[in-house]
Amino acid sequence: MKKEDLKIVFMGTPEFAVGTLSALVDGGYQVVAVVTQPDKPVGRHGSVLQPSEVKKYALEKGIPVLQPEKMKDPAFVEQLRAFGADLQVVVAFRMLPEVVWGMPRLGTFNVHAALLPQYRGAAPINWAVINGEVMTGVTTFFLDHDIDTGRVILRREFPIPDEADVEYVYDGLMKLGAEAALETIDRIIESDGQLEALPQETLMDGTELRPAPKIFKETCRMDWSLPAKRLYDFVRGLSPYPGAWTTLDRSDGSEPVTVKIYKTAKCPDLKRTGDPGTILVEKGKMYVLAGDGPLQVLSLQMAGKKRMDAAAFLNGMRDVESGKMT
């Protein structure tokens, strides 16, 4: 079978998934339909419906779009079956029931933004950076009954520089994931569905598996009792979105202010001690004491204000040294 004859249904929702979808379209693969999340209510009263990035791209390219509320809905299943897909490709989407992932004759594979079996879950990019990993990557694998546990087709590595934040890794893995998806499809075509894939158990090297659960607001709160290196990684693992946050308690008795911190710097040569969360200002630079010493704050944002560098923050908050981050 030629790639032009292979009928593909693509499933995904965010911008990350568009990287693979556009690579399929630009590469001449036949994408017969797209499945994505229902439009999301936005605005003050939720009166405006916002389509997903995948839907917007699909409509631009004239690709039919399906947006089921429930993946087991019989009407949706019949709609999907009518496209006669040979293969389904999934990127950053919800968990699928067997009636869906088992439908195509060549199966359904997922592009996951981590080196499985590590970082199974909804937020693998964030957690890899938060945990200070120096290497991550992408994995393609056939779907099965559990989340991110299927047989692995291929893995491709991506180094994480020490100064990189989530945006850098996200962009790199989006491109790498698209390349891995095309290579996976070509392998499936060449093997006519007889592609050898490895059980994830064979890839475990004895190290503890780290999960990648969904990130909520409370997940992003900074704990200043942690070592400075841990906090440094925590900040870049959530920057620029959703953003690590803390509260600024001021000595004048005013209400605590929520502050998001987007960029920090390690300063191991600066020896200072005190209670974690204590703010220090030295030579126009801002530091906050972590559990084992200071962490320099470079970029932050107060609630209701624009993102700014630390110098601008200090100019507008001259009594900041008398406050504390909690």
Side-chain angles (χ1 to χ4, degrees), residues 113-290:
L115 296 173
L116 292 174
Q118 290 289 357
Y119 295 105
R120 294 168 174 161
I125 303 176
N126 297 92
W127 285 108
V129 182
I130 288 171
N131 288 334
E133 302 285 2
V134 297
M135 185 69 69
T136 186
V138 296
T139 303
T140 59
F141 67 97
F142 287 115
L143 293 188
D144 63 13
H145 294 92
D146 298 315
I147 298 176
D148 300 334
T149 60
R151 293 171 297 125
V152 169
I153 304 166
L154 62 82
R155 299 193 298 177
R156 294 291 178 265
E157 293 185 340
F158 183 84
I160 305 177
D162 183 65
E163 71 281 1
D165 61 15
V166 159
E167 186 172 44
Y168 172 90
V169 182
Y170 181 100
D171 291 344
L173 293 186
M174 182 165 59
K175 181 176 184 295
L176 186 62
E179 295 171 356
L182 299 192
E183 183 179 347
T184 296
I185 294 171
D186 290 344
R187 287 190 186 186
I188 291 173
I189 292 173
E190 291 170 5
S191 69
D192 194 28
Q194 303 303 309
L195 182 65
E196 181 180 357
L198 298 174
Q200 290 191 28
E201 290 75 17
T202 66
L203 300 171
M204 294 181 182
D205 58 6
T207 59
E208 181 180 355
L209 294 185
R210 288 181 162 181
K214 187 175 180 179
I215 289 176
F216 299 95
K217 179 180 178 182
E218 198 57 35
T219 313
C220 303
R221 184 165 192 169
M222 300 183 71
D223 178 357
W224 292 101
S225 68
L226 293 175
K229 173 63 165 64
R230 287 276 304 278
L231 290 173
Y232 170 79
D233 292 333
F234 186 79
V235 168
R236 64 193 186 98
L238 296 168
S239 181
Y241 183 83
W245 64 275
T246 185
T247 56
L248 172 61
D249 294 335
R250 302 175 67 177
S251 60
D252 61 6
S254 56
E255 286 292 315
V257 180
T258 299
V259 178
K260 284 193 173 183
I261 297 182
Y262 293 101
K263 190 173 183 179
T264 63
K266 294 175 288 185
C267 40
D269 296 331
L270 185 62
K271 306 300 181 184
R272 300 289 186 274
T273 59
D275 292 335
T278 299
I279 299 170
L280 306 174
V281 178
E282 298 186 10
K283 298 180 180 179
K285 296 180 180 180
M286 178 179 174
Y287 305 89
V288 181
L289 288 180

Side-chain angles (χ1 to χ4, degrees), residues 3-211:
K3 69 179 184 181
E4 295 84 359
D5 300 325
L6 184 76
K7 293 182 180 180
I8 298 173
V9 166
F10 182 86
M11 301 185 182
T13 294
E15 179 192 25
F16 188 87
V18 176
T20 298
L21 177 57
S22 63
L24 292 174
V25 173
D26 294 344
Y29 296 84
Q30 185 184 178
V31 181
V32 296
V34 158
V35 182
T36 190
Q37 295 278 35
D39 294 356
K40 183 179 180 180
V42 295
R44 188 170 182 179
H45 303 290
S47 57
V48 178
L49 294 178
Q50 179 174 295
S52 71
E53 294 301 316
V54 162
K55 179 181 179 179
K56 288 190 281 188
Y57 178 86
L59 292 178
E60 287 176 6
K61 299 298 181 180
I63 303 171
V65 176
L66 304 180
Q67 296 177 274
E69 291 283 350
K70 297 180 179 180
M71 299 301 291
K72 290 184 179 180
D73 181 354
F76 162 70
V77 172
E78 287 309 307
Q79 268 188 306
L80 186 63
R81 197 183 308 278
F83 285 101
D86 302 297
L87 179 69
Q88 291 175 156
V89 180
V90 182
V91 184
F93 198 53
R94 66 175 93 171
M95 189 173 180
L96 304 180
E98 184 174 3
V99 68
V100 172
W101 59 257
M103 188 181 296
R105 69 178 185 88
L106 297 178
T108 299
F109 77 83
N110 187 88
V111 180
H112 187 72
L115 296 173
L116 292 174
Q118 290 289 357
Y119 295 105
R120 294 168 174 161
I125 303 176
N126 297 92
W127 285 108
V129 182
I130 288 171
N131 288 334
E133 302 285 2
V134 297
M135 185 69 69
T136 186
V138 296
T139 303
T140 59
F141 67 97
F142 287 115
L143 293 188
D144 63 13
H145 294 92
D146 298 315
I147 298 176
D148 300 334
T149 60
R151 293 171 297 125
V152 169
I153 304 166
L154 62 82
R155 299 193 298 177
R156 294 291 178 265
E157 293 185 340
F158 183 84
I160 305 177
D162 183 65
E163 71 281 1
D165 61 15
V166 159
E167 186 172 44
Y168 172 90
V169 182
Y170 181 100
D171 291 344
L173 293 186
M174 182 165 59
K175 181 176 184 295
L176 186 62
E179 295 171 356
L182 299 192
E183 183 179 347
T184 296
I185 294 171
D186 290 344
R187 287 190 186 186
I188 291 173
I189 292 173
E190 291 170 5
S191 69
D192 194 28
Q194 303 303 309
L195 182 65
E196 181 180 357
L198 298 174
Q200 290 191 28
E201 290 75 17
T202 66
L203 300 171
M204 294 181 182
D205 58 6
T207 59
E208 181 180 355
L209 294 185
R210 288 181 162 181

